[in-house]
Amino acid sequence: MAFALPPLPYDHDALEPHISARTMKLHHDKHHAAYVEKLNKLVAGTALEKCSLEQVIMTTRGDARATQTKIFNNAAQVWNHTFFWNCLAPKTATPKASLRQRIEKSFGGLDKFNKSFKTAAVEQFGSGWAWLVESGGELKVKSTSNAVPPFVDGDKVLLTCDVWEHAYYLDYQNKRDEFVTIFLEKLVNWDFVASRLAETQESAA
Ligand code: MN3
């Protein structure tokens, strides 16, 4: 069964004025769609065709052969983008009490978390992703290059921001810092983050 492009969880213009419909149409309908299309071509007729997306990523991870690297990159980008759309919300919200307490415990408050996340996102050299993860019972901020999702190293992924230029260039040009600031202040779907964290606690129980 071929991998499918999941629809956006909201309309293309739902994140305006922070992210334009033009950016969303290119980012989801062209970039994300292209990763899905390339992945399907690469795995066609192989054993990976029948695997889950996560299995494809874990199987090809660290495999230096050219085709396996391409499969990893495209599969990871499909996963990352689907996850990223869910991290964005048309309505500004704040973390609910239990999540806020975890952020307080790990970072010393939401402002400090925001600062740490922004630094990771802005300082990621070239294309990549900034992440909030749960790792060894602690919340941590990480950044990764190109397509790598931190779950390949065992982290539970809670939040991400795409810092490839295609994510922000039409709306913010070279000002990645402004894009990340708006992401943190206006767009984070904290209920989604909380639901991811709740999954971890259930599976740990
Ligand atoms: Mn992208």
Side-chain angles (χ1 to χ4, degrees):
M1 200 182 79
F3 295 100
L5 175 69
L8 279 177
Y10 32 71
D11 292 336
H12 289 101
D13 63 0
L15 306 176
E16 288 196 342
H18 312 305
I19 301 179
S20 66
R22 193 167 161 237
T23 290
M24 293 304 285
K25 280 180 184 158
L26 279 167
H27 201 174
H28 175 267
D29 302 3
K30 303 293 180 190
H31 287 279
H32 192 176
Y35 293 126
V36 174
E37 200 179 314
K38 282 180 201 155
L39 175 63
N40 282 325
K41 277 189 188 151
L42 287 161
V43 300
T46 75
L48 292 173
E49 205 176 17
K50 293 189 177 63
C51 294
S52 70
L53 195 54
E54 289 83 356
Q55 284 170 333
V56 172
I57 293 166
M58 294 310 285
T59 304
T60 54
R61 180 210 172 199
D63 190 326
R65 288 174 294 172
T67 304
Q68 301 303 104
T69 302
K70 281 184 200 164
I71 293 172
F72 174 84
N73 285 336
N74 283 284
Q77 283 295 76
V78 172
W79 193 96
N80 293 346
H81 282 88
T82 303
F83 188 77
F84 178 51
W85 308 135
N86 284 300
C87 290
L88 303 170
K91 282 189 181 164
T92 309
T94 50
K96 293 207 175 80
S98 58
L99 177 56
R100 191 175 276 274
Q101 282 164 11
R102 291 292 304 272
I103 291 170
E104 182 74 39
K105 188 166 165 260
S106 293
F107 300 102
L110 189 60
D111 286 349
K112 285 181 179 163
F113 158 74
N114 284 343
K115 204 174 166 199
S116 171
F117 191 95
K118 188 177 167 183
T119 301
V122 171
E123 291 187 358
Q124 168 56 39
F125 188 77
S127 296
W129 299 80
W131 307 85
L132 171 65
V133 304
E134 188 184 51
S135 177
E138 283 292 305
L139 301 191
K140 290 178 184 169
V141 164
K142 294 196 170 177
S143 66
T144 59
S145 292
N146 299 320
V148 180
F151 70 75
V152 300
D153 294 320
D155 294 341
K156 174 79 180 183
V157 175
L158 304 175
L159 173 72
T160 194
C161 183
D162 187 345
V163 295
W164 285 56
E165 283 189 346
H166 68 226
Y168 60 87
Y169 216 84
L170 286 177
D171 298 328
Y172 297 89
Q173 293 78 50
N174 58 317
K175 295 174 288 238
R176 187 192 285 187
D177 59 331
E178 282 185 21
F179 166 64
V180 176
T181 299
I182 291 290
F183 169 84
L184 289 165
E185 287 179 3
K186 307 284 187 188
L187 293 169
V188 174
N189 185 345
W190 286 110
D191 288 343
F192 176 71
V193 177
S195 73
R196 293 281 300 175
L197 197 56
E199 283 170 27
T200 329
Q201 280 152 356
E202 276 161 28
S203 61

